[in-house]
Amino acid sequence: FEVHRAHEDELEYQKHRLHTDDDPLMTIITPVFNTPSLFLQAAIASVCAQSYSKWEYILVNASPENKKLSESLASYAQKDQRISIVTLSSNQGIAANTNQGINVAQGDYLCFMDHDDTLEPNALYEYVQAIKDDPNIDLLYCDEDSIDEEGANNNSPLFKPDANIDLLYSNDYVIHFLAVSKRIIDCTERSSARYDGAQDYDLTLKSFEQARHIR
């Protein structure tokens, strides 16, 4: 991981590459429900640290009664105009909460990130480079790892194969960090509450059926 991750010189190069009007807007959607502040801070910080800057981050707050959390979310939105908060009246379940974020997304690609996830700073950049190489890509995913509560000590790497529908039928090997084109989102049915906890799997299966190319 240390050999292959993007280091500071690479990240600086990526940050200073000129973006064009044709570069895709990447939307990241994160449902938030009584998230511990440590996890929330790490998640938001990792998005703000992306070397690709043409993104919007939609945080769907399903715990409006948690004043401390609501105030913290509002402060992040004030600091960065790319961050927006969707506040629900109550927790509707993970699938419905995610759908509320999808409903307001403006991006060309929608990326799904849990509230206790973090991204490597070049994650969006690598996705966008793949899209530039092949504009017919409708679904992207990447390898991932698990970290402890302090955000260190990688301890469970998951190295994934290329698109394999037979494997996907028996195992949601795609998981995170799933990105799906707006074209696919617009032509697939939203996940319902009966898929709570497996809404990403549901979306991945539907997207595999419709996707032109998968990377």
Side-chain angles (χ1 to χ4, degrees), residues 30-35 59-66 69-70 73 85-94 96-98 100 115:
T30 296
V32 175
F33 180 68
N34 289 327
T35 307
L59 293 143
V60 183
N61 182 14
S63 44
E65 72 288 344
N66 188 330
L69 176 60
S70 297
L73 288 171
I85 313 301
V86 176
T87 302
L88 308 181
S89 58
S90 62
N91 181 23
Q92 302 172 16
I94 185 66
N97 296 349
T98 301
Q100 294 291 344
H115 63 176

Side-chain angles (χ1 to χ4, degrees), residues 156-184:
S156 186
L158 180 55
F159 300 105
K160 306 170 189 177
D162 291 338
N164 184 331
I165 190 63
D166 293 323
L167 177 60
L168 186 66
Y169 282 151
S170 61
N171 173 25
D172 180 17
Y173 75 90
V174 170
I175 321 177
H176 306 145
F177 171 53
L178 175 67
V180 182
S181 70
K182 187 67 161 51
R183 187 189 78 85
I184 291 291

Side-chain angles (χ1 to χ4, degrees), residues 2 5 16 36 47 57 67 69 77 85-86 99 103 120 122 131 152 158 171 176 197 200 207:
E2 291 302 327
R5 74 190 310 180
H16 291 96
V47 173
Y57 191 19
K67 292 185 177 180
L69 176 60
I85 313 301
V86 176
N99 290 339
N103 290 340
E120 279 293 295
N122 63 323
I131 294 165
L158 180 55
N171 173 25
H176 306 145
D200 289 344
S207 299

